[in-house]
Each structure stands twice: as C-alpha cells, then as structure tokens.
C-alpha cells in the first residue's frame, strides 16, 4: 500500500527563565519605511499597469496557477474555502476531509483588523491563545499545545512547551488554515491538538494595488502597501510586492513597539507545464519595556493580587528585538493530465537580541521579597526544509482515486549566548541566605531598577537537529459516496548538542499510520471517522537518571459535515478522543500535592461544532464552540486547569441592502473559568469566565477608496491571560482603530 512518512523537529525548550533574543532593527529602515512603501507602490504600479493592457494575450495552461487562483480567499472575499491540502497533503474538498478544518480567510482578517497571527488565532474556534508574556505565547487546542505551525504546508514543530517566540503579521497571508487533531500525514511528531498552516498570498494575473493607512489607540500607526500583477506582455511572469510598518505605545506603562515587514514573490511559467515560484520576506520587531515572565499573582499569604490594568514593572532598558528572514522556491512540473511533481525549498533564519528582567515570588504586604533576575541573550536559529512530492490520480476498478507520495528533509541549527546582570539600585536587598545571591524588592510598587552591571557573553546553547521523512497517502473512491483515506509517514530524527546545561540528544524513528473514511449520506451531509498515531521524542531525563521515553498515543475523531446554499454555508459537528503516554508534567499541571509520577498518561475528549459562510447574500458568519475534558489518568483529576475547557467564537458582518456600500459587523470571544493551584502557598489563582466584544464598520466612498472603523473590547472587560507559570498580565481595555484604504 502506499506509505506516508513525515518529519518533525523538536527544539529543546530553553529554561523557562531564558528568553530568546534578536538583532536590532536598523534605524534607516525604520524611519524610511513608511515613505518607501508608498513609493514602491507607485513605481511598481507603473510597471504593472502596462501589463494590464495585454492581459488578454496571456494563455496560462499550468494547472497549478489556476489552482492557486481558485483557492484564493482574497479573490473570493468569502468566509470559507472549499478545498485544502493542509490535512492530508491531498487537495481535496474540506467537506470530504475526515478532520475538523477551520479557516480564517483574508476577508475575516480585513473585516476585523486582525493584523497579528495571535489575534487571528484568538478568533479561531477551539483555539486558546495564552499570552504569558507580551512577546511570547502558547497556542492550545483540545487541551494540548500546538507545536505544528506551517507555512504553505512546511514548517518546524515548536519547542517542548511550545512558546511562540514570534508573532508574524498577517499581511503576507491569504488565509490561515487550522486542522484539528493529530496529523500524522503532515507531522509524525508533535502534540495532537491541531496544525496551523499559514497560506501565503501569491501573485495575480490581473493588476491590483492596495494601500492602507490606519491610526488607533495609544498612538498606533500602521502603513500597508500591496502591488501585484503581470510583469511581461504575455503574462507568463507575475510578481507581488508587499510591505507594512506599525508603531505605537500601549495601555501598559512604558511599553512600546515597532515592527515592519517586506515580502516579494515571483511566479514564472517556464513552459506551459512548468511553474517556478521564488520568494523572500523579512520581518522585524522591536518591543521596549516588554515582559519576561509576568506579574506574580499570589502574595505571601496566598491571596490573589489585583493590579491596575496598565501596571508594568519592566524598566525602560528592557527589549527583545527580533529579525526573521525567509527565502523559498517551488518548482511544479505537470507530468500529464493526472500527475504533478513539486520540488520545494525553504530557508528561515531568526535572530533575537535582548536585555530582560525576570521577577518572581510572593510579595509581602509591603511589596518586598520579589526576586529580580536581569538576563540578556543573543540567539541565532537557522532552518532548512526540502520536499519532493508527487501528487495525482489513478484509475482502479473503473474509478478515479487520488494519491501522493514524497520525501522531506529538515535541518536546524541553534546557537545562543547569554549574559547576566547585577542591579545596582539602593532599594534592592542583596540576599545570600539560600547560598546564592538573590536581589529582592523592598517595595514592589515603587522600585526602579535602572542601573545594571552586565557580565560578558558566554555560550548557552549549541545544538543541531535533522529529520528525514518518507510519506505516502491515497484516497480510494469505493463508490460514489464512500471514500477511504489511508496514509503512513516514516520519520527518522536525530538531535545532538546542549541547551542551557541540558543535553538535547536523541536518535529516534517511527512509522505513523493515518486512516480516515467519509460517507455522503446526501449531497448536503457527509459523515466521517479518522485515526492517527502520536509520536514525539523527548530530551529530558527522569529523576532516576534514565532518559524519558518518547511520547506516544492515538487520536480519534468522528463527525458530520454539511454544505448548504450551493455550498456557500458549511457546518461541522465533531466528537474527538486523544490519549497520550509518557507525557511530562509541569509543576502547574493539576494539583501538584496529589502527584505520584513525573510523567503521566493524559486523555482529552470532547465535542466541537462550527458554522461558516454566507447565511444570506448580505450576511457572513464564522461561528464555533468547543468543549472538552482533560484527565490525568495516573494522578487523577483534571490536568491543565489553566486552559479553558469551553470556548466560543463568532465573527459576523452584514451589508445593509438599502446602503450596499455600508458594512457592519461584530465579533465575540468567550471562555469559561480557569484556575491553577500553587502548592508553595497552598492557594489557587483564578480567572472567571468572560466575553470580549469587538465591533466594525466600513463604507466604500467609491470604487477605489473605503474607510473603516474597528472597536475592540467595547465593554472594557478586565481579564487576565492564562497563567501556566503562576504569572499573568491583563488584556487590553477598550480601544479603537480607524483606517483609510485604497485599491486599484
């Protein structure tokens, strides 16, 4: 049978008290970027407009080109897409994919000004975004962290605790696809929560240009430009150039940020059956006075502390600068009417540079006894990914079936340096009572650690990881209504080196099967079932000194999907169950006082429902509800109580029939209560259930110019983000954005 193998890469987690850092942005780029965006737009448009005159001369027969166009949510302006290859590496209808698939389309991103991937995922059904810090977050689904984060189907699994050290802007993406459950076809490694796939915008055959300027709360300014179209008279070469810059302060004291990005992509029809795509992007982010860790939530008596929402104890010198560069190339060759070969390569390099302050402890009534740790670092991460894939259809028993097979190779190299600091301020207590120097606050509310003496940089992490993957899958049409999806992924993974005093060495391999079945009960309703295995090597050691066994397990899903109104409206109902063995527990998992083992078996089971698309010609909707339970099978009780067990999300817009140029909309995010027990003070921190309401409106002044207003958290709800490490900070209060957009 056909076999499928896939790859993964496990980046050993930095110590919780180590923050990854990066290179500073250049001043010239920062100051000149706003103007350059507009300039580039005008100059590029002059070149592209000439090509518009000869669009009718172009004859593009490459199937891949038309597929990209058909799949573009940007072009359809819809809240759904019909096909996806993110789940099974087969471009099949989402309705016939035996897993839950949620799509955040370009129209949703634009309607609700979801400029960051964190904001976009926060509005995705069943996804919880835990912002433990201002710059790092964790994405979870069905009780587990999401480690598989891809771009156009390729990527590298995150570290063991899945801190997302970057927050990519959404401007370069056509849509975000989220595939729920374990995904052995895309990654034999990783947690069985979900796979996130960022789908890039691609060049268009027709000329188009978009420019946007916005202003919002806390002096937030944003500038965008996007130019696309044919670059030659025949239309066989198409290009796209995009850029953005955003600056602003924050509701948090002293915090400010600057970020910008530039991306260029070229499609070229080398022949009528050969398509070459090359692209490059660069993104930079420069936050100031940012968090490393967050606010301690319990005092010395175990009482939960309430802070002012804007309270930020981080000093002005704190920063965490990052720069990410990506270069990629794809070569698609149409072999015949049924089969296409694709060779792709991705290179990503990320640099971080930081000076940070970590604060931890249980303050007394006077604000004393908070431990302060200045730390700085430099991080460089280089990743290579190559994939060769064959995809097509074949005839068997008088029926057409789909199949794919391929090989993937991934390699990463991590090199970190660190420095430590000593605070020189007089209001800091120098404590040696525990055999090492601790610098403690004497008054938590008023300290100002401005003077720091830094050590020389020393080596902190140096390790490399490689994976080889061989994969294959097929979808068999047993009859007109019954389809069977089978696949398998064999992966070999090696890691060597050290990270912050711990070995990250492993040498593992695994054959991961996948099976799914769909049945069309009627043209509108499809039932499905799926199964996949779970595998993830671990680099830690048990208390007895033996290496931890790889995490393994199984994931099951059963559900129904529907399509109404000429497939403009889709619905989903899914029931799932996942079991994992040898899972490493955090100190904050469950109730540590009841713990008997350091690794456990966890079981997640629950239900998800969703509705997305057009209810009428004027009303768009994206709705989802998720409920699950997560049990610790060895220690008993609930696990990971700091994540909500129930979430609900809703995005909806309405175009007023009597005023067709006016659009209004609303978004709702709701989650139930969360809690976490802290055994150090035998107390429990909590966050009650809450809902956030966002509103939008837009008006087309003419065919080219529109204005838009967005208001977020309009009820001004005060809430804490998730607190898996016993710390948290508050979400933003009510805020607004107004924008002017130009399109051609």
């Amino acid at each position: 049978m056909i076999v499928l193998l896939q790859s993964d890469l496990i980046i050993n987690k930095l110590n919780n008290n180590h923050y990854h850092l990066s290179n500073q942005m250049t001043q010239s780029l920062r100051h000149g970027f706003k103007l350059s965006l507009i300039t580039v737009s005008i100059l590029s448009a002059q070149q592209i407009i000439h090509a518009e005159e000869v669009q009718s001369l172009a004859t593009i027969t490459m199937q891949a080109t038309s597929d990209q166009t058909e799949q573009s949510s940007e072009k359809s302006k819809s809240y759904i897409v019909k096909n996806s290859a993110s789940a099974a590496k087969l471009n099949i209808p989402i309705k016939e994919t035996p897993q839950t698939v949620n799509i955040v389309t370009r129209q949703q991103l634009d309607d609700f000004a979801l400029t960051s991937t964190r904001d976009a995922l926060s509005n995705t059904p069943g996804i919880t975004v835990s912002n433990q810090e201002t710059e790092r977050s964790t994405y979870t689904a069905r009780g587990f962290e999401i480690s598989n984060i891809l771009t156009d189907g390729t990527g590298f699994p995150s570290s063991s605790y899945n801190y997302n050290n970057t927050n990519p802007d959404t401007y370069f993406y056509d849509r975000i696809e989220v595939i729920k459950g374990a995904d052995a076809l895309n990654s034999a490694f990783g947690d069985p929560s979900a796979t996130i796939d960022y789908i890039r915008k691609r060049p268009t055959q027709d000329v188009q240009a978009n420019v946007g300027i916005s202003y919002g709360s806390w002096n937030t300014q944003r500038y965008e430009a996007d130019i696309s179209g044919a670059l030659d008279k025949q239309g066989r070469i198409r290009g796209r150039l995009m850029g953005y810059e955003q600056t602003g302060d924050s509701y948090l004291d002293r915090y400010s940020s600057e970020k910008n990005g530039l991306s260029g992509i070229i499609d070229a029809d080398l022949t009528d059956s050969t398509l070459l795509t090359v692209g490059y992007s660069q993104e930079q982010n420069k936050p100031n006075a940012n968090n490393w860790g967050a606010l301690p939530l319990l005092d010395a008596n175990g009482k939960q502390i309430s802070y002012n929402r804007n309270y930020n104890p981080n000093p002005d010198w704190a920063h965490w600068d990052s720069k990410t560069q990506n270069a990629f190339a794809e070569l698609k060759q149409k072999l015949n009417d049924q089969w296409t070969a694709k060779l792709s390569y991705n290179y990503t390099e990320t640099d971080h540079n930081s000076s940070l302050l970590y604060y931890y402890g249980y303050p007394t009534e006077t604000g004393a006894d908070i431990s302060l740790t200045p730390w700085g670092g430099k991080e460089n991460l280089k990743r290579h990914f190559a994939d060769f894939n064959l995809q097509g259809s074949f005839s068997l028993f008088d029926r057409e079936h789909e199949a794919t097979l391929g090989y993937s190779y991934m390699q990463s190299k991590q090199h970190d340096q660190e420095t430590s600091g000593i605070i020189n301020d007089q209001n800091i207590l120098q404590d040696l009572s525990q055999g090492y120097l601790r610098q403690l606050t004497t008054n938590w509310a008023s300290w100002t650690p401005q003077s720091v003496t830094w050590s020389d940089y020393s080596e902190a992490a140096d390790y490399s990881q490689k994976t080889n993957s061989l994969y294959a899958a097929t979808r068999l049409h047993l009859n007109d209504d019954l389809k069977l999806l089978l696949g398998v992924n064999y992966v070999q993974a090696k890691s060597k080196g050290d990270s912050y005093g711990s070995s990250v060495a492993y040498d593992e391999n695994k054959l991961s099967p996948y099976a799914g079945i769909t049945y069309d009960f009627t043209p509108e309703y499809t039932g499905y079932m799926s199964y996949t295995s779970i595998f993830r090597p671990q680099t830690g050691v048990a208390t007895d000194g033996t290496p931890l066994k790889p995490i393994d397990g199984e994931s099951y899903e059963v559900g129904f999907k529907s399509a109404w109104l000429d497939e403009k409206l889709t619905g989903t109902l899914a029931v799932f169950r996942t079991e994992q063995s040898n899972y490493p527990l955090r100190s904050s998992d469950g109730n540590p006082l009841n713990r008997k083992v350091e690794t456990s078996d966890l079981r997640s089971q629950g239900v998800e429902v969703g509705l997305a698309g057009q209810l009428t010609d004027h009303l768009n909707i994206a709705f989802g509800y998720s409920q699950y339970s997560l049990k610790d099978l060895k220690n008993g009780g609930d696990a990971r109580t700091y994540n909500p067990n129930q979430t609900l999300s809703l995005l909806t817009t309405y175009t007023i029939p009597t005023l067709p140029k006016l659009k209004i909309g609303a978004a709702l995010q709701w989650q139930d209560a969360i809690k976490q027990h802290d055994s150090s003070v035998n107390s429990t921190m909590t966050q009650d259930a809450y809902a956030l309401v966002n509103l939008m409106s837009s008006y087309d002044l003419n065919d080219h110019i529109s204005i838009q207003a967005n208001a977020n958290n309009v009820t001004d709800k005060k809430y804490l983000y998730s607190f898996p490490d016993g710390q948290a900070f508050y979400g933003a209060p009510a805020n607004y954005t107004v924008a002017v957009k130009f399109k051609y």
Side-chain angles (χ1 to χ4, degrees):
M1 199 91 254
I2 307 181
V3 275
L4 176 315
L5 173 295
Q6 163 128 308
S7 50
D8 163 38
L9 201 132
I10 307 235
I11 310 290
N12 187 53
K13 168 188 169 277
L14 285 177
N15 183 300
N16 278 352
N17 295 342
H18 291 289
Y19 213 118
H20 289 178
L21 323 287
S22 81
N23 294 333
Q24 296 184 352
M25 303 181 219
T26 60
Q27 293 295 320
S28 60
L29 179 60
R30 177 168 59 89
H31 292 298
F33 201 78
K34 298 183 242 198
L35 188 57
S36 66
L37 286 180
I38 307 301
T39 303
V40 168
S41 301
I42 296 172
L43 295 177
S44 300
Q46 293 176 347
Q47 299 296 321
I48 295 173
I49 289 172
H50 176 71
E52 188 183 41
E53 301 172 355
V54 294
Q55 293 300 311
S56 61
L57 302 176
T59 302
I60 307 299
T61 60
M62 178 64 189
Q63 186 66 44
T65 304
S66 61
D67 287 346
Q68 291 171 5
T69 303
E70 292 170 4
Q71 284 291 101
S72 171
S73 73
E74 177 188 38
K75 181 179 180 181
S76 69
K77 300 186 182 303
S78 174
Y79 271 31
I80 58 172
V81 297
K82 294 182 178 181
N83 288 11
S84 173
S86 297
K89 292 186 177 291
L90 292 168
N91 189 27
I92 59 178
I94 292 178
K95 185 171 175 285
E96 298 177 7
T97 300
Q99 289 180 258
T100 301
V101 181
N102 299 117
I103 309 293
V104 185
T105 66
R106 185 69 250 170
Q107 192 64 50
Q108 292 172 255
L109 298 173
D110 290 341
D111 284 346
F112 293 94
L114 305 175
T115 58
S116 77
T117 51
R118 287 180 193 167
D119 290 343
L121 292 168
S122 295
N123 287 273
T124 302
I127 302 297
T128 298
V129 178
S130 300
N131 294 313
Q132 298 99 329
E133 305 165 339
T134 53
E135 311 310 312
R136 297 194 299 180
S137 61
T138 298
Y139 307 145
T140 61
R142 300 180 175 181
F144 299 105
E145 290 93 344
I146 300 174
S147 60
N148 298 325
I149 301 177
L150 316 175
T151 302
D152 285 346
T154 65
F156 298 80
S158 304
S159 61
S160 58
Y161 286 157
N162 301 305
Y163 282 123
N164 294 283
N165 288 343
T166 60
N167 181 24
D169 200 275
T170 61
Y171 195 61
F172 299 156
Y173 302 123
D174 176 80
R175 62 192 182 276
I176 302 173
E177 300 186 359
V178 179
I179 303 90
K180 300 293 181 56
D183 193 5
L185 297 186
N186 269 316
S187 181
F189 290 178
D191 298 296
S193 51
T195 296
I196 299 170
D197 196 359
Y198 302 133
I199 307 299
R200 296 183 180 97
K201 295 177 180 177
R202 296 299 179 107
T204 58
Q205 182 74 14
D206 298 328
V207 64
Q208 64 178 47
N210 296 276
V211 176
I213 301 174
S214 66
Y215 181 85
S217 299
W218 312 296
N219 194 33
T220 302
Q221 303 173 54
R222 183 175 173 91
Y223 308 86
E224 304 171 339
D226 181 353
I227 306 294
S228 181
L231 301 179
D232 67 334
K233 294 182 179 181
Q234 292 75 32
R236 300 182 67 88
I237 302 176
R238 301 162 297 281
R240 188 161 193 164
L241 183 64
M242 300 167 282
Y244 69 87
E245 173 164 311
Q246 180 173 314
T247 62
D249 298 321
S250 171
Y251 67 98
L252 296 172
D253 295 336
R254 291 182 300 284
Y255 181 91
S256 64
S257 66
E258 309 169 44
K259 67 174 184 176
N260 60 55
L262 186 67
S263 175
I265 301 178
I266 293 177
D267 279 346
D269 297 312
L270 304 183
T271 71
D272 289 344
S273 60
T274 308
L275 173 66
L276 174 65
T277 301
V278 295
Y280 171 82
S281 65
Q282 176 180 296
E283 293 189 83
Q284 300 185 98
N285 186 37
K286 185 178 181 180
N288 298 299
N290 54 288
N291 284 350
W292 178 40
L295 300 171
L297 294 182
L298 298 176
D299 65 17
N301 298 317
K303 181 181 178 182
Q304 186 162 332
I305 306 171
S306 178
Y307 299 92
N308 292 328
R309 188 157 38 186
N310 63 313
Y311 181 59
N312 178 26
N314 293 283
D316 294 333
W317 50 261
H319 67 277
W320 192 70
D321 301 342
S322 68
K323 177 181 179 180
T324 299
Q325 301 178 83
N326 172 255
F328 74 97
E330 297 177 355
L331 183 64
K332 289 185 179 179
Q333 177 64 52
K334 189 175 181 182
L335 304 177
N336 51 42
D337 291 339
Q338 289 78 38
W339 285 88
T340 299
K342 176 182 171 182
L343 178 64
S344 61
Y345 170 78
N346 268 269
Y347 171 77
T348 300
E349 182 172 359
T350 302
D351 291 289
H352 291 100
N353 188 303
S354 72
S355 295
L356 302 164
L357 184 67
Y358 186 79
Y359 30 93
Y360 177 80
Y362 306 89
T364 66
E365 293 182 358
T366 62
D369 292 342
I370 293 293
S371 176
L372 307 174
T373 304
W375 183 87
K378 298 177 181 180
E379 176 199 34
N380 177 262
L381 175 61
K382 298 177 181 178
R383 290 169 167 172
H384 302 265
F385 179 91
D387 181 82
F388 178 75
N389 174 266
L390 290 172
Q391 186 174 146
S393 62
F394 62 96
S395 297
L396 182 67
F397 302 122
D398 297 324
R399 293 186 178 275
E400 288 292 313
H401 315 275
E402 299 93 2
T404 183
L405 72 139
Y407 165 79
S408 296
Y409 172 80
M410 290 187 288
Q411 176 183 326
S412 79
K413 176 68 175 178
Q414 181 90 41
H415 182 224
D416 297 357
Q417 294 179 302
E418 65 177 341
T419 179
S420 59
I422 299 294
I423 298 173
N424 303 317
D425 294 25
Q426 294 181 353
N427 62 339
I428 299 299
L429 175 64
Q430 312 292 335
D431 178 67
L432 295 171
S433 61
Q434 298 187 16
Y436 60 93
L437 177 63
R438 295 193 305 157
Q439 295 196 285
L440 305 175
T441 59
T442 56
N443 187 329
W444 172 238
S446 64
W447 61 270
T448 55
Q450 295 298 322
S451 177
V452 180
T453 300
W454 296 96
S455 68
D456 294 333
Y457 280 96
S458 60
E459 296 296 312
D462 189 8
Y463 59 91
S464 60
Q465 297 169 312
K466 296 180 181 180
T467 61
N468 289 277
S469 163
L470 183 64
Y471 60 86
T474 185
R475 190 173 74 141
L476 303 174
H477 296 241
L478 304 183
N479 58 41
D480 291 343
D481 300 319
L482 184 62
K483 303 174 182 67
L484 178 64
L485 180 59
L486 298 172
V488 68
N489 186 356
Y490 176 75
V491 63
Q492 294 178 327
K494 294 183 179 181
S495 178
K496 62 180 182 180
D498 298 285
S499 177
Y500 295 91
S502 300
S503 172
V504 296
Y506 59 76
D507 188 350
E508 302 284 353
N509 62 85
K510 173 76 173 188
L511 185 71
S512 298
Y514 178 97
I517 190 168
T518 63
Y519 183 77
D520 297 327
F521 292 97
T522 69
E524 292 81 22
Y525 296 95
T526 298
Y528 71 90
M529 297 185 294
S530 64
Y531 160 86
T532 190
S533 64
I534 300 163
F535 171 69
R536 180 166 186 159
Q538 301 191 80
T539 59
V541 295
T543 53
D544 61 3
T546 59
L548 293 178
K549 297 179 180 179
I551 299 170
D552 59 22
E554 297 176 321
S555 182
Y556 307 86
E557 185 170 330
V558 179
F560 287 92
K561 297 186 179 184
S562 55
W564 308 287
L565 305 178
D566 195 25
E567 297 188 347
K568 293 180 180 179
L569 182 68
T570 62
T572 58
L573 169 64
V575 178
F576 58 87
R577 179 186 177 109
T578 295
E579 293 187 356
Q580 292 195 92
S581 302
N582 308 318
Y583 205 93
L585 298 176
R586 288 188 180 187
S587 60
S588 53
D589 285 331
N591 188 335
L593 297 176
N594 299 333
R595 186 163 301 163
K596 307 177 187 66
V597 294
E598 57 188 323
T599 64
S600 188
D601 300 340
L602 303 183
R603 181 181 67 210
S604 170
Q605 56 187 21
V607 61
E608 291 184 344
V609 295
L611 185 69
Q614 272 188 299
L615 283 173
T616 71
D617 291 340
H618 305 284
L619 182 62
N620 282 320
I621 187 173
F623 167 82
Y625 170 79
S626 175
Q627 185 276 328
Y628 72 91
S629 66
L630 183 64
K631 300 296 183 180
D632 187 330
L633 301 183
K634 289 186 177 181
N635 297 300
D638 297 328
R640 302 188 166 194
T641 57
Y642 49 79
N643 288 326
N645 294 121
Q646 298 183 77
T647 58
L648 182 148
S649 66
L650 171 68
L651 299 176
T652 183
T653 60
Y654 182 68
T655 302
I656 300 175
T658 56
L659 295 170
K661 296 182 178 182
L662 177 63
K663 179 194 294 185
I664 57 175
L668 172 68
Q669 302 171 48
W670 175 87
Q671 68 171 56
D672 66 347
I674 57 176
K675 63 182 180 180
Q676 180 188 315
H677 185 81
D678 190 324
S679 57
S680 298
V681 289
N682 195 22
S683 182
T684 300
M685 60 195 80
T686 62
Q687 167 61 59
D688 294 336
Y690 66 89
L692 303 178
V693 179
N694 304 331
L695 301 175
M696 67 80 57
S697 65
S698 65
Y699 186 80
D700 296 330
L701 299 177
N702 53 46
D703 292 339
H704 302 288
I705 301 175
S706 64
I707 55 176
Q708 181 169 321
N710 292 83
N712 302 317
N713 191 9
V714 294
T715 62
D716 201 31
K717 179 66 180 179
K718 184 179 180 181
Y719 65 97
L720 287 166
Y721 286 115
S722 179
F723 31 72
D725 297 316
Q727 302 174 327
F729 69 106
Y730 295 96
N735 60 94
Y736 73 93
T737 301
V738 293
V740 179
K741 300 180 180 181
F742 169 83
K743 65 179 181 180
Y744 175 82

